[in-house]
């Protein structure tokens, strides 16, 4: 449940006059535009702000993945949990633009997911399936009926392979969406062929700190300009775009620009009208109801109705913010549009009926805003387990108490509702989840700026000026059906040596349910007061063993809460498993490790589970006596996240000079990494980063210094240690470094030159500094054996 402060913050961010102005501006255009991208944050927010809020278009962001393979600058969420976080960020970013979202991929279990970085569109198609992603785009075009499609990136070498694949698929889908012989199964679902009128490419380079387009962008055919300001806020459209990008906080987005972009050059690649010269993005498009009235062979009564509706919408906007006059004008507009739909020829409705029907929905939303009909829907609790009960309360504010006639509640499968109590400003429904109610889906297929999102929503019918209108209301917090009990094992992964003494392993199970284990043959599990003691068989071979915990006799699920101020509260649900990795692993004697993390990795945790002596260093510890440690490990991004770490740079340098070993994990150039000042001696991080990474997790690794102390012991690093890596080898490789550093490894992606900046080390004074760009933190999370053996070497005393 939201706190009082949460509700106050939401109310402050959503002001009535702003909502009303946006609701009216939707009515000015009959054009739909779709921006395609591969990840949440790929959208071109400033441009979309202008098209939606400046030109009135309906804007849709079509996104192929949930960003689950990316990084997280905010916290510990990875993979599926990160996909949930980034999906919510995309929805809130869309809310700021008053845009919609059409998801093409549905999480890490879906073939179309974010599997990490790719440098080639063909390699991306190998994972996604080219036909699969094209079919989903064709379905999106036929469902949403965009007049304009614009990918954010170009399909050129030097660009992310996911971006390249999406741009290529988006173009291919244009022709197939209009082809009545393509994907005929769509027509059984009520879809029809749809001709996208214009397919643009960005006439700007997508290069920068990350990407490096090898060829120049296509020629500009339309220099789209937005020199005016958004009327209600009084700021530029590009600044509103940054308001939207601010919500992609897990990716470090949201930058202040004193002067924003005012021009976006476009290249018209495909047009249903053939080749022609444009002066406006609206050229050749029916962009208003008046334009629709000029269609040929329309009955005069339909022409008149469309013109009157267009005029009434104009009057509604002229009367802003006079609510009663706006209501009168909108009622007239709705009446005339309904008349046009009733009397228009079937051929006209086949092509344009969706525009008119959309306008009626948008007019209903605007009428509710103008009539100050506000409904807040609150589910208590927001998560039901099968067999549980709860309530759904509708709070009627403003004129809702007098205007609301009824409410249809859309609920998850297996959940029912019945009216429990009715008051002038409050309607209470009792909710019941059936004993066999299925768990709700975690990844929603889309998000609408008009509401009705999530597994549950409310369609409220109200009377305004004699018209029955419908408004879709999202629940204050999404209603889910989730397991009755969550299980958290502490820890849920263990490392044990193959040889030598293996002490019994203790695992604490945190759950309100009855916990047990299904263990493989030879393993014993004993429970005492919620703590389980595990004993492996006497003889054990290297590899991974998985034990399945049970709650009330069923395989256990872990529900991890996700809460950040910019997205609110949500959660991620996944099977809870106990994984035990048996390793041939040796540790350096006498190693005492200080770990400095920024919350973006779990390396300190894994070092502890390996059996090393690890202390997490806070600001006070960093300013204290560092000589008690043999090794200090700095986690990924940490110099950019922790100001206390940046302030301690000189002390870290002195720690090295006096005999300590400093190990820094990868940093981006933007993470406060100053080549001349951050490391003890100069190390420059390669930019753009697309050139300085190895994305093939099976790429050959050449050992350059086999007898170097970091590769020789305590574990001799052998070819098998590079087997089974997940997602990639490394990223943000060092490109240049001081002569004191020795490169230890070389590796490269296919058809590229070897990179030697993945692991470099220098003897400095009486100590050592080692910098690695290998994705060790991810390999540890994935229990990749070689990563544990390597990092055990990297943290040895100098």
């Amino acid at each position: 449940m939201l706190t009082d402060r949460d509700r106050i913050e939401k109310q402050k961010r959503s002001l009535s006059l702003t909502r009303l102005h946006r609701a009216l501006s939707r009515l000015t255009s009959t054009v739909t535009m779709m921006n395609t991208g591969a990840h949440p944050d790929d959208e071109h927010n400033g441009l979309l702000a202008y098209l939606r809020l400046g030109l009135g278009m309906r804007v849709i962001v079509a996104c192929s993945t949930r960003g689950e393979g990316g990084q997280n600058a905010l916290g510990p969420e990875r993979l599926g949990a990160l996909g949930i976080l980034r999906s919510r960020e995309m929805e809130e970013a869309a809310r700021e633009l008053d845009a919609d979202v059409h998801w093409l991929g549905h999480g890490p279990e879906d073939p179309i997911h974010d599997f990490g970085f790719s440098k080639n569109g063909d390699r991306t198609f190998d994972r996604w399936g080219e036909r699969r992603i094209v079919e989903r785009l064709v379905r999106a075009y036929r469902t949403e009926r965009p007049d304009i499609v614009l990918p954010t990136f170009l399909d050129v070498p030097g660009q992310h392979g996911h971006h390249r694949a999406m741009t290529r698929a988006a173009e291919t889908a244009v022709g197939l969406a209009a082809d009545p012989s393509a994907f005929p199964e769509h027509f059984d679902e009520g879809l029809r062929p749809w001709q996208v009128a214009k397919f643009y490419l960005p006439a700007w380079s997508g290069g920068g700190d990350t990407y490096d387009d090898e060829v120049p962008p296509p020629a500009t055919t339309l220099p789209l300009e937005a020199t005016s300001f958004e009327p209600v806020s009084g700021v530029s459209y590009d600044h509103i775009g940054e308001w939207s990008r601010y919500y992609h906080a897990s990716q470090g987005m949201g930058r202040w620009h004193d002067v924003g972009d005012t021009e976006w050059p476009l290249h018209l690649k495909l047009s249903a009208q053939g080749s022609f010269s444009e002066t406006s993005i609206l050229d050749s498009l029916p962009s208003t109801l008046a334009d629709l009235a000029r269609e040929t062979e329309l009955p005069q009564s339909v022409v008149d109705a469309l013109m009157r509706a267009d005029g009434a919408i104009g009057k509604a906007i002229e009367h802003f913010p006079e609510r009663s006059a706006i209501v009168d004008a909108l009622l007239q507009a709705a009446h005339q549009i309904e008349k046009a739909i009733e009397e228009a020829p079937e051929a006209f409705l086949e092509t344009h009926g969706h525009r008119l029907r959309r306008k009626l929905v948008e007019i209903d939303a605007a009428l509710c805003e103008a009539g100050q009909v506000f409904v807040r829907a609150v589910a208590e609790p927001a998560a039901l387990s099968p067999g549980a009960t709860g309530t759904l309360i509708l709070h009627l504010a403003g004129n809702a108490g007098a205007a609301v006639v009824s409410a249809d509640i859309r609920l998850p499968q297996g959940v029912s509702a019945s009216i429990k109590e009715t008051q002038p400003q409050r309607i209470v429904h009792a909710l019941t989840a059936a004993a066999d109610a299925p768990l709700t889906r975690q990844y929603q297929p889309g998000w609408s700026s008009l509401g009705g999102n999530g597994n549950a929503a409310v369609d409220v019918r109200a009377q305004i000026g004699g018209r029955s209108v419908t408004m879709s209301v999202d629940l204050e917090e999404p209603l889910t059906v989730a397991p009755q009990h969550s299980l958290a094992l502490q820890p849920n992964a263990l490392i044990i040596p193959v040889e030598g003494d293996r002490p019994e392993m203790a695992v604490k199970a945190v759950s309100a349910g009855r916990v047990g284990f299904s263990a493989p043959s030879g393993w014993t599990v004993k429970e005492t007061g919620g703590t389980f003691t595990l004993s492996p068989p006497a003889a054990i071979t290297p590899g991974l063993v998985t034990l399945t915990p049970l709650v009330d006799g069923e395989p256990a699920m872990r529900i991890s809460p996700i809460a950040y101020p910019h997205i609110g509260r949500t959660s991620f649900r996944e099977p809870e498993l106990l994984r035990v990795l048996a390793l041939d692993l040796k540790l350096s004697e006498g190693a005492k490790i200080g770990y400095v993390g920024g919350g973006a990795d779990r390396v300190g945790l894994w070092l502890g589970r390996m059996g090393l002596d690890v202390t997490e260093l806070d600001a006070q510890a960093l300013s204290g006596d560092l000589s008690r440690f043999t090794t200090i490990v700095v986690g990924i991004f940490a110099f950019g996240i922790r100001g206390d770490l940046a302030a301690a740079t000189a002390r870290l340098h002195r720690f090295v000079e006096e005999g300590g070993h400093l190990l820094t994990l990868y940093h981006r150039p933007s993470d406060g990494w100053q080549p001349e000042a951050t490391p003890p001696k100069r190390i420059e991080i390669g930019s753009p980063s697309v050139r300085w990474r190895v994305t093939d997790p099976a790429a050959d690794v050449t050992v350059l210094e086999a007898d170097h102390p970091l590769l020789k012991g305590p574990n001799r690093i052998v070819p098998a240690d590079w087997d089974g890596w997940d997602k990639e080898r490394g990223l943000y490789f060092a490109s240049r470094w001081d002569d004191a550093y020795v490169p230890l490894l070389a590796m490269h992606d296919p058809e590229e030159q070897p990179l030697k900046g993945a692991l470099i080390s220098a003897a400095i004074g009486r100590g050592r500094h080692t910098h690695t760009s290998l994705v060790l933190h991810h390999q540890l999370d994935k229990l990749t054996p070689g990563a544990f053996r390597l990092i055990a070497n990297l943290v040895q005393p100098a």
Side-chain angles (χ1 to χ4, degrees):
M1 180 185 295
L2 298 187
T3 66
D4 290 349
R5 293 189 66 84
D6 292 333
R7 288 174 173 145
I8 289 170
E9 286 293 334
K10 288 187 70 171
Q11 188 180 57
K12 284 170 60 180
R13 290 196 301 265
S14 181
L15 301 179
S16 177
L17 284 182
T18 301
R19 294 198 310 268
L20 177 57
H21 190 274
R22 287 191 169 188
L24 293 174
S25 72
R26 291 188 193 118
L27 307 178
T28 61
S29 177
T30 54
V31 172
T32 295
M33 179 271 183
M34 180 178 286
N35 182 201
T36 63
H39 317 97
D41 81 8
D42 278 356
E43 72 277 8
H44 207 295
N45 306 67
L47 170 59
L48 300 187
Y50 172 60
L51 296 178
R52 166 60 196 90
L53 303 175
L55 299 184
M57 292 183 188
R58 180 190 178 201
V59 167
I60 305 167
V61 176
C63 191
S64 60
T65 80
R66 306 304 180 113
E68 60 268 63
Q71 301 169 90
N72 184 0
L74 291 182
E77 293 82 14
R78 296 289 180 275
L79 301 175
L82 178 59
I84 293 290
L85 167 58
R86 295 190 68 183
S87 295
R88 283 290 301 120
E89 288 183 330
M90 181 70 256
E91 291 165 357
E92 292 303 317
R95 188 193 307 277
E96 196 67 60
L97 299 174
D98 199 41
D100 300 338
V101 183
H102 187 113
W103 294 107
L104 302 169
H106 308 297
E109 303 305 315
D110 187 49
I112 298 175
H113 67 276
D114 183 357
F115 56 84
F117 201 91
S118 161
K119 296 178 182 176
N120 188 294
D122 291 332
R123 299 293 76 77
T124 299
F125 284 144
D126 289 344
R127 298 285 295 268
W128 288 356
E130 183 172 6
R131 187 181 188 278
R132 181 182 291 113
I133 186 62
V134 169
E135 183 274 330
R136 293 191 188 183
L137 276 162
V138 169
R139 183 186 298 273
Y141 294 172
R142 289 172 172 174
T143 301
E144 309 290 1
R145 297 196 155 198
D147 302 288
I148 298 167
V149 171
L150 170 68
T152 298
F153 296 97
L154 297 169
D155 176 18
V156 296
Q159 191 48 247
H160 195 321
H162 295 181
H163 299 161
R164 298 185 64 182
M166 269 300 289
T167 297
R168 195 185 315 169
E171 181 174 346
T172 301
V174 170
L176 293 175
D179 184 352
S181 67
F183 305 110
E185 64 272 20
H186 292 178
F187 308 137
D188 295 334
E189 304 167 20
L191 299 177
R192 293 290 180 266
W194 176 250
Q195 178 64 66
V196 173
K198 296 181 180 183
F199 179 83
Y200 289 98
L201 290 175
W204 63 80
S205 172
D209 293 338
T210 303
Y211 310 122
D212 181 23
D213 292 3
E214 289 184 9
V215 298
T220 299
T221 62
L222 178 66
L224 189 64
E225 293 184 309
T227 56
S228 60
F229 296 105
E230 197 269 335
V232 170
S233 64
V235 302
S236 74
Y237 293 102
D238 201 49
H239 278 115
I240 294 176
E242 287 303 318
W243 295 358
S244 176
R245 293 196 73 71
Y246 156 88
Y247 286 98
H248 295 298
S250 69
Q251 307 307 298
M253 301 295 177
R255 307 289 174 86
W256 175 261
H257 304 290
D258 287 333
V259 179
D261 290 338
T262 58
E263 182 173 318
W264 297 276
L266 302 179
H267 173 81
L268 184 60
K269 179 72 181 294
L270 301 174
S271 170
Q273 302 294 320
S275 179
F276 70 101
S277 178
E278 292 182 290
T279 59
S280 166
I281 196 171
L282 300 175
D283 285 354
S284 81
L285 299 178
S287 59
T288 65
L289 294 176
D291 287 342
L292 294 180
R294 298 184 186 101
E295 290 284 308
T296 58
E297 299 182 2
L298 277 180
Q300 189 59 44
S301 61
V302 175
V303 172
D304 293 343
L306 291 173
M307 293 300 293
R308 291 189 186 106
D310 189 78
I313 288 172
K315 287 181 180 178
I317 294 171
E318 288 175 10
H319 284 300
F320 178 84
E322 300 172 29
R323 294 180 182 275
S324 61
I326 291 172
V327 168
D328 291 342
L330 292 180
L331 292 172
Q332 174 67 10
H335 172 71
Q336 295 297 332
I337 291 174
E338 288 172 338
K339 178 179 174 64
I341 291 174
E342 183 179 344
E343 299 182 9
E346 188 61 34
F348 175 84
L349 294 178
E350 178 68 24
T351 305
H352 299 300
H354 68 285
R355 305 181 198 276
L356 301 182
R357 290 187 289 272
R358 172 80 182 184
K359 281 291 158 278
L360 288 176
V361 174
E362 292 172 347
I363 286 174
D364 277 6
L367 280 167
C368 288
E369 288 292 352
Q372 295 185 299
V373 177
F374 304 130
V375 179
R376 185 165 60 91
V378 182
E380 297 179 355
L384 292 176
S385 59
T389 60
T391 59
L392 177 62
I393 305 170
L394 302 184
H395 297 273
L396 312 182
N399 295 327
V404 168
V405 175
S406 63
D408 291 333
I409 302 175
R410 286 181 278 142
L411 294 168
Q413 182 182 347
V415 179
S416 59
S418 59
I419 293 181
K420 181 178 179 181
E421 177 186 336
T422 301
Q423 298 177 7
Q425 300 293 320
R426 192 169 182 265
I427 303 174
V428 181
H429 292 79
L431 300 179
T432 303
D436 59 352
L439 304 183
T440 48
R441 67 188 304 166
Q442 300 197 84
Y443 296 94
Q444 299 299 317
W447 189 88
S448 171
S449 58
L450 294 175
N453 300 296
N455 295 302
V458 182
D459 291 329
V460 174
R461 285 193 298 276
Q463 285 288 328
I464 300 178
R467 175 177 174 79
S468 177
V469 303
T470 301
M471 61 184 294
S472 294
V473 179
D474 295 345
L475 271 60
E476 185 176 69
E477 289 187 290
L479 177 65
T480 61
V481 178
Q484 181 179 7
H485 300 301
S486 172
L487 172 66
L489 298 179
Q490 300 172 351
N492 64 356
L494 297 164
I495 311 299
I496 61 172
V498 172
E499 298 178 354
D501 295 334
R502 289 193 296 271
E504 291 183 330
M505 296 167 285
V507 175
K508 185 172 180 60
V510 180
S511 178
R514 178 172 47 86
V515 180
F517 272 90
S518 173
S521 175
W523 287 74
T524 60
V525 182
K526 299 177 182 178
E527 191 249 343
T528 305
T531 297
F532 291 81
T533 303
L534 283 70
S535 300
I540 189 168
T541 57
L544 183 65
V545 175
T546 300
L547 289 77
T548 302
L550 308 172
V551 174
D552 297 336
E554 298 293 330
M557 302 290 287
R558 174 191 282 254
I559 303 175
S560 302
I562 302 172
Y564 293 99
H566 66 302
I567 64 160
R569 294 183 180 85
T570 184
S571 63
F572 176 64
R573 181 181 73 238
E574 61 185 332
E576 179 71 314
L577 301 170
L578 177 60
R579 300 175 298 162
V580 181
L581 179 63
L583 271 177
D584 176 14
L585 179 68
K586 299 178 179 62
L587 304 176
S588 295
E589 293 185 7
K592 291 180 66 66
I593 298 164
Y595 168 70
V596 187
D601 65 55
R602 302 197 302 164
V603 170
L605 178 148
W606 285 117
L607 293 173
R609 289 185 186 177
M610 289 163 61
L612 290 160
D613 182 347
V614 181
T615 301
E616 297 219 13
L617 304 184
D618 57 16
Q620 182 176 359
L622 277 173
S623 64
D625 179 16
L626 299 181
S627 65
R628 59 195 176 105
F629 302 106
T630 64
T631 309
I632 292 178
V633 180
V634 176
I636 66 171
F637 306 159
F639 278 103
I641 295 172
R642 290 185 52 171
D644 59 326
L645 173 61
T649 300
R651 305 189 78 255
L652 292 175
H653 293 181
R654 189 161 58 251
F655 167 77
V656 172
E657 292 279 355
E658 294 175 353
H661 187 184
L662 174 65
L663 171 64
T664 50
L665 307 185
Y666 73 68
H667 278 65
R668 298 165 295 196
S670 59
D671 290 322
W673 186 274
Q674 301 176 45
E676 303 288 348
T678 303
K681 290 186 179 292
R682 181 180 60 82
I683 297 177
E684 185 175 332
I685 308 301
S687 180
S689 69
V690 67
R691 302 296 181 196
W692 301 97
R693 62 175 73 204
V694 175
T695 62
D696 182 356
D700 289 338
V701 176
T702 300
V703 175
L704 302 176
E705 300 283 342
D707 288 329
H708 191 280
L710 296 182
L711 300 180
K712 188 170 60 175
N715 304 283
R716 167 71 70 171
I717 301 303
V718 298
D721 289 314
W722 304 107
D723 294 342
W725 282 50
D726 183 74
K727 195 167 77 166
E728 57 207 343
R729 288 290 192 203
L731 61 167
Y732 309 115
F733 282 27
S735 58
R736 285 186 284 273
W737 48 82
D738 187 275
D739 290 342
Y741 291 95
V742 176
L744 305 184
L745 306 171
M747 60 192 74
H748 62 91
D749 279 325
E751 301 177 4
E752 294 185 2
Q753 295 299 310
L755 299 176
K756 298 181 180 181
L759 178 61
I760 60 177
S761 188
I764 300 172
R766 299 199 307 273
R768 176 175 296 281
H769 173 227
T770 301
H771 181 75
T772 182
S773 299
L774 298 169
V775 289
L776 290 175
H777 72 291
H778 178 76
Q779 307 309 323
L780 299 179
D781 285 345
K782 300 297 288 188
L783 296 182
T784 306
F788 287 92
R789 289 166 45 81
L790 178 59
I791 202 166
N793 287 11
L794 298 185
V795 299
Q796 66 181 280

